[in-house]
Amino acid sequence: MMKLRRLLALFLLLVVVLPALVAHANTISDKQKELDAIKQQMKAAEQKAAQVNQQQKSVITELNKLEKDIDRTSSDLRTIETRLRNTENELQMLNRELADTEARLEERNNQLGHRLRALYERGPISYLEVMFNATTFADFVNRFLLLKTVVNQDVIIYHSVQEEKALVAESKASAEAKQQEITSLRKQTAIQKSNLEKRSASRTQVLTQLNQDKAQAQKAYNELNALAQEVDKIIKDLQAKNSTGQGTGTFTWPTPGFTKITSAFGWRTHPIFRTQEFHSGIDIGGSGIVNRNIVAADSGTIILADFLGGYGKTVIIDHGKGMSTLYAHSNTLLVKEGDKVVKGQAVARVGSTGNSTGPHLHFEVRKNGDRVSPITYVKP
Ligand SMILES: [Zn+2]
């Protein structure tokens, strides 16, 4: 029985009391640490997306080039097809011409043979016929010479047709060579085009994958962002609960002599995701600002003077009436929690601690825990 009670006591301690104690220990610093861890993860998601963006750019560049190459090859192929069709037409015409020349040659050959036979075979007969029938010898000679001239003419024509045939045959051979050459060129170009198309398809696949990767990184970032806002709200509530200080109701500029606002309060566009990000204060910078005094914007009580994760060394002053101010990234803290400060009193020195790219003061004003535009309360 005792044993069971002890176990029950232990159970109560572990399950009921301890978590409550842990929850109670949720200070601003703890929550801020949690927020910083989330922001670290957001940064990783951002970097992943930036990397994917870079890869996407290079793949898109390559795809554009491939697209151009494919267009050019297609155009080459069309030119080649046209040349091939022209050569084929030429070849058909030459074939017809050759057949025509051959026919004429055959005809001439026949005519020549006919006349030669007439001259040489029947010549002697004609001669005898002339000898017996011609009225005069001159008449015989005239008829013989006429026949001979006709035959000579036939021989000249025969030779010229033969030359013509040789020329046509030559043209045909050269057209055939051209046809072969163009056909092989067409084959090569078609292979080239097909290779380019294959590469383009594979690159498109890579691009699709990259798009998915980017969407995933974006989703992770959005989830973390939502979580960060939740933690942010808890910090806000913790700050709102503190209302011990008593301010004058008006604020003074927190960095005397340094009035350059390098980043304003409000929404700004994220460079990679193109989403909107909220800048919760104003950044005050300028050369020579490092180690210069940060002064209390109004009188109040220090509710935090500590390293606050991404904020670096930070001071939060409660001015009462729901107003508080925050001073981040300082090099040196000049106050401690619980201190009472007066308006214009130095509380820290400008630095670049925490998540900062150079010496500046990140200055926030909260009204009932909500971040409000500091410029509404202080003027440089
Ligand atoms: Zn800032």
Side-chain angles (χ1 to χ4, degrees):
M1 212 53 187
M2 271 317 271
K3 250 183 186 173
L4 193 63
R5 264 190 209 170
R6 263 189 210 160
L7 273 174
L8 192 65
L10 189 65
F11 173 81
L12 285 174
L13 179 72
L14 285 175
V15 178
V16 182
V17 182
L18 266 182
L21 282 174
V22 172
H24 188 69
N26 268 350
T27 61
I28 294 174
S29 290
D30 287 337
K31 277 295 154 191
Q32 188 61 43
K33 268 176 206 142
E34 202 180 311
L35 189 58
D36 285 336
I38 293 164
K39 288 205 166 138
Q40 213 58 42
Q41 284 171 276
M42 282 166 78
K43 199 148 242 160
E46 239 176 275
Q47 273 164 358
K48 168 80 187 150
Q51 197 187 347
V52 170
N53 258 357
Q54 211 46 43
Q55 285 170 304
Q56 266 180 329
K57 253 183 218 159
S58 100
V59 174
I60 286 168
T61 306
E62 200 184 337
L63 266 174
N64 281 340
K65 199 190 159 294
L66 280 167
E67 211 55 49
K68 264 184 211 149
D69 286 350
I70 290 169
D71 279 355
R72 212 193 47 237
T73 318
S74 294
S75 151
D76 283 356
L77 214 53
R78 278 194 297 274
T79 311
I80 289 165
E81 294 288 354
T82 307
R83 278 178 63 198
L84 196 61
R85 263 198 310 280
N86 288 345
T87 311
E88 275 163 1
N89 287 344
E90 200 185 330
L91 208 58
Q92 261 176 19
M93 211 181 66
L94 285 166
N95 271 334
R96 276 198 300 274
E97 213 178 307
L98 198 63
D100 183 53
T101 320
E102 272 167 350
R104 277 192 292 133
L105 204 61
E106 179 68 20
E107 192 190 66
R108 286 286 160 193
N109 199 25
N110 288 343
Q111 263 178 26
L112 194 59
H114 181 69
R115 289 213 213 284
L116 282 173
R117 275 195 301 280
L119 183 63
Y120 294 107
E121 288 172 13
R122 289 208 304 226
I125 302 159
S126 299
Y127 173 75
L128 288 175
E129 276 171 4
V130 166
M131 286 298 282
F132 290 108
N133 300 327
T135 46
T136 62
F137 181 70
D139 186 29
F140 163 75
V141 169
N142 276 345
R143 287 180 68 192
F144 181 77
L145 282 177
L146 185 69
L147 207 56
K148 203 180 163 197
T149 305
V150 168
V151 168
N152 278 345
Q153 203 59 36
D154 278 346
V155 168
I156 287 165
I157 289 168
Y158 178 79
H159 281 305
S160 98
V161 174
Q162 220 169 17
E163 262 167 45
E164 208 180 313
K165 185 193 161 187
L167 279 176
V168 174
E170 208 177 295
S171 295
K172 188 189 161 187
S174 102
E176 272 167 352
K178 196 153 91 176
Q179 184 192 30
Q180 249 176 18
E181 193 189 312
I182 295 170
T183 305
S184 112
L185 187 65
R186 178 175 64 174
K187 201 173 149 192
Q188 269 173 22
T189 310
I191 288 168
Q192 204 182 344
K193 189 185 168 192
S194 142
N195 285 342
L196 286 167
E197 277 167 349
K198 269 183 218 149
R199 180 143 182 81
S200 176
S202 99
R203 295 279 87 187
T204 303
Q205 216 172 7
V206 171
L207 192 64
T208 308
Q209 183 59 51
L210 286 170
N211 275 332
Q212 279 167 6
D213 287 356
K214 197 181 167 189
Q216 220 164 30
Q218 166 98 65
K219 191 166 166 262
Y221 180 85
N222 289 346
E223 280 168 9
L224 289 165
N225 207 16
L227 192 60
Q229 271 162 14
E230 245 172 71
V231 178
D232 224 20
K233 194 184 166 297
I234 294 170
I235 295 173
K236 202 171 81 177
D237 292 345
L238 283 167
Q239 278 181 331
K241 267 186 216 155
N242 294 290
S243 195
T244 50
Q246 284 298 308
T248 64
T250 57
F251 285 173
T252 187
W253 189 254
T255 47
F258 293 89
T259 54
K260 189 181 172 195
I261 296 172
T262 54
S263 187
F265 171 86
W267 292 98
R268 47 187 182 187
T269 304
H270 191 280
I272 294 156
F273 295 118
R274 316 302 304 165
T275 51
Q276 297 290 301
E277 271 190 327
F278 194 72
H279 187 224
S280 51
I282 54 170
D283 290 344
I284 305 164
S287 67
I289 197 170
V290 66
N291 285 329
R292 301 304 286 260
N293 279 343
I294 297 168
V295 305
D298 196 4
S299 305
T301 309
I302 305 297
I303 57 169
L304 183 127
D306 202 351
F307 192 90
L308 203 57
Y311 277 130
K313 287 185 188 169
T314 302
V315 171
I316 301 176
I317 306 171
D318 178 33
H319 306 292
K321 300 181 191 105
M323 298 302 294
S324 65
T325 49
L326 177 148
Y327 313 76
H329 308 304
S330 84
N331 260 355
T332 317
L333 298 171
L334 303 175
V335 290
K336 59 184 195 304
E337 204 179 308
D339 284 358
K340 303 270 181 209
V341 292
V342 295
K343 182 176 178 175
Q345 181 185 332
V347 293
R349 294 212 172 94
V350 176
S352 189
T353 53
N355 190 4
S356 163
T357 49
H360 75 283
L361 167 67
H362 172 88
F363 177 62
E364 289 183 11
V365 176
R366 280 181 164 86
K367 188 178 182 183
N368 300 322
D370 285 324
R371 291 144 169 184
V372 290
S373 176
I375 286 302
T376 319
Y377 294 90
V378 281
K379 293 279 181 267

